Amino acid sequence: MAKLHISFENGNPEQVVEFDPSQAPFHHDGEPGSILDILLGHGVELEHACGGNCACTTCHVIVTQGMAHLTENEEEEDDMLDKAPGLVSTSRLGCQAVMAEGEVKIRIPRHTINQQV
Amino acid sequence: MPSSPTFTATIEKIIERTPDTRSFFLRVANGRKLSFVPGQFLSFLLPAGGETLTRAYTIASLPGEEDCFEICLNQVDGGPGSSYLFSRKEADVLCFTGPWGNFVLDQPTDAEYIFIADRVGVVPFRPMIARLLTAGGHHTARLLYAAPQAGDLLYTDEWQRWEGQYAYFSFRPLIAECEPEEYSIEKGLLPYVEQHFVKGVRQYSRRFYICGIGRPVLLLRDLLRGAGYERQAVKYEKW
Ligand SMILES: Cc1cc2nc3c(=O)[nH]c(=O)nc-3n(C[C@H](O)[C@H](O)[C@H](O)COP(=O)(O)OP(=O)(O)OC[C@H]3O[C@@H](n4cnc5c(N)ncnc54)[C@H](O)[C@@H]3O)c2cc1C
Ligand code: FES
């Protein structure tokens, strides 16, 4: 079993999801086995305005532990992350970062919004 | 459910643009206006198959058309989101969040703008090009628009009218002349881009905007960035 710890900058209580990576996909949005897929499949909300297609930054998460357990960023994710508010060196897009093992801790930023108007 | 505000809109009119592509004209409830930046999309919450799907559709309206706005989409074989929308009728109600997205024009510069559309991926370019042409400053802009058949092209009258009206805008349809199942960007679009913007290129000040479906968008991105255009000068949206 793999473990994903989620904390929220908006003060919501922390959550832990334990899951069997071989069961992915858990939902129908984002890359199968991605942080977004795992969260939605276990009842934890994460904004995903473009439907998990790497075309917005609303699924931005900050990885605080276990980056090595996630697939590496592709150019497409980096291009999109450039536009994320509150970007840090361990930022990832929840719909693109796939977790296949181990224990990962993430923080969901308060501002995931990239509405421009 | 998303944490951002959700709006409802009534389908005021549906028009068939090609046999598998429709425009939906939507009016937001309570007389709200939809204020958007050309190129942005709305995120629709579609109750299809017992679940709520999230599907993005770009705002096809021209800037300023804020009362009754348009989305334009084609039916994807076996696709639950597009099939749900194609089963809607006038007066039905849809829920959405947004507008969202960063695939928008940069501050206009003197650079030449090249818009590269693969099939229905032309939708964001309608408001973007309209904004560019009417912004003043006479920005040179070209639209390269690829499709399997001439009958698949969307908004052709408008592109042609703009071409006649603005000397600095040109429209280049690239028709593969094949069935949709046999279509690929190798049949026209990719060789055209290679020949005109890659081979022997000496000026790198152009700005590219690419929009289309799946991997071909990344192929075009890699071709242009690989040819030496700056990363920021090659923007794209992959559906
Ligand atoms: C930012 C953004 C804006 C978008 N704007 C539009 C729009 O204005 N008009 C529009 O038609 N679609 C648009 N799309 C695509 C749309 O969100 C859906 O992905 C599409 O309608 C398919 O959903 P589905 O549930 O029917 O099929 P799914 O089962 O979800 O099918 C997904 C597959 O279809 C491919 N696909 C996506 N769009 C198309 C398409 N138009 N034609 C053929 N294959 C497609 C995807 O690459 C993927 O392989 C947009 C997507 C994004 C990310
Ligand atoms: S949901 Fe839009 S980029 Fe992840």
Side-chain angles (χ1 to χ4, degrees):
Chain A
M1 294 292 271
K3 239 184 201 178
L4 181 59
H5 299 253
I6 311 112
S7 63
F8 300 85
E9 279 182 6
N10 69 4
N12 282 356
E14 257 188 62
Q15 300 202 38
V16 181
V17 171
E18 269 193 83
F19 63 98
D20 174 0
S22 69
Q23 298 299 308
F26 303 101
H27 198 257
H28 42 67
D29 291 332
E31 288 295 317
S34 63
I35 289 173
L36 176 71
D37 179 41
I38 297 162
L39 294 186
L40 296 180
H42 293 85
V44 183
E45 265 311 320
L46 179 64
E47 195 87 59
H48 54 292
C50 74
N53 279 304
C54 201
C56 66
T57 56
T58 56
C59 64
H60 175 203
V61 300
I62 293 166
V63 180
T64 54
Q65 197 183 306
M67 188 63 110
H69 296 304
L70 299 173
T71 47
E72 283 190 17
N73 311 31
E74 297 207 0
E75 192 172 344
E76 199 183 348
E77 184 180 344
D78 288 339
D79 284 339
M80 199 47 62
L81 269 174
D82 274 356
K83 301 158 191 161
L87 181 72
V88 297
S89 60
T90 58
S91 287
R92 296 296 306 264
L93 290 179
C95 68
Q96 301 300 304
V98 173
M99 179 180 170
E101 54 166 28
E103 198 160 343
V104 171
K105 293 188 177 175
I106 59 167
R107 192 168 75 235
I108 299 188
R110 189 183 297 269
H111 299 292
T112 56
I113 306 295
N114 69 347
Q115 278 167 301
Q116 288 213 348
V117 290
Chain B
M1 292 300 282
S3 49
S4 41
T6 304
F7 305 101
T8 54
T10 305
I11 304 175
E12 196 157 286
K13 191 168 62 165
I14 301 175
I15 60 170
E16 194 147 292
R17 293 207 176 265
T18 73
D20 75 343
T21 308
R22 289 182 190 166
S23 280
F24 295 75
F25 293 85
L26 307 173
R27 189 173 292 278
V28 190
N30 305 322
R32 282 186 74 105
K33 286 191 190 309
L34 186 81
S35 163
F36 67 97
V37 180
Q40 286 192 309
F41 65 88
L42 299 173
S43 180
F44 285 85
L45 307 168
L46 307 174
E51 298 178 283
T52 302
L53 303 177
T54 305
R55 290 290 181 273
Y57 293 100
T58 304
I59 302 163
S61 311
L62 298 175
E65 289 177 354
E66 294 170 347
D67 291 334
C68 185
F69 64 92
E70 176 182 352
I71 56 169
C72 178
L73 59 133
N74 61 314
Q75 183 154 26
V76 176
D77 267 352
S82 57
S83 300
Y84 174 84
L85 285 169
F86 269 64
S87 68
R88 296 302 90 194
K89 298 188 178 54
E90 288 172 359
D92 283 350
V93 169
L94 298 172
C95 287
F96 68 89
T97 67
W100 304 96
N102 292 306
F103 186 62
V104 297
L105 290 170
D106 298 320
Q107 284 303 328
T109 65
D110 288 340
E112 183 184 14
Y113 287 76
I114 315 289
F115 297 91
I116 304 177
D118 173 25
R119 293 165 286 171
V120 71
V122 77
V123 171
F125 298 148
R126 183 175 184 242
M128 282 163 106
I129 293 174
R131 167 60 50 86
L132 196 66
L133 295 178
T134 54
H138 297 213
H139 304 288
T140 308
R142 292 197 225 181
L143 171 63
L144 316 180
Y145 181 6
Q149 306 273 354
D152 298 318
L153 295 174
L154 301 167
Y155 307 108
T156 312
D157 294 352
E158 215 155 39
W159 313 126
Q160 288 172 342
R161 183 157 46 78
W162 290 351
E163 196 175 33
Q165 199 173 343
Y166 301 98
Y168 36 92
F169 171 65
S170 67
F171 163 51
R172 183 80 165 89
L174 294 157
I175 309 301
E177 298 295 0
C178 66
E179 293 304 315
E181 313 74 68
E182 291 154 9
Y183 171 82
S184 80
I185 59 161
E186 277 84 1
K187 295 185 176 169
L189 181 57
L190 197 70
Y192 186 93
V193 170
E194 218 162 3
Q195 179 168 356
H196 291 83
F197 306 112
V198 173
K199 284 195 184 131
V201 63
R202 271 189 292 277
Q203 61 120 332
Y204 289 94
S205 62
R206 298 183 176 108
R207 305 198 75 82
F208 294 90
Y209 291 81
I210 309 165
C211 186
I213 298 149
R215 303 293 302 175
V217 173
L218 304 185
L219 223 66
L220 288 160
R221 172 200 70 186
D222 292 345
L223 178 69
L224 292 166
R225 288 185 179 172
Y229 294 100
E230 267 180 38
R231 184 163 164 243
Q232 294 301 334
V234 182
K235 296 191 186 288
Y236 58 97
E237 189 166 84
K238 174 169 120 337
W239 298 354

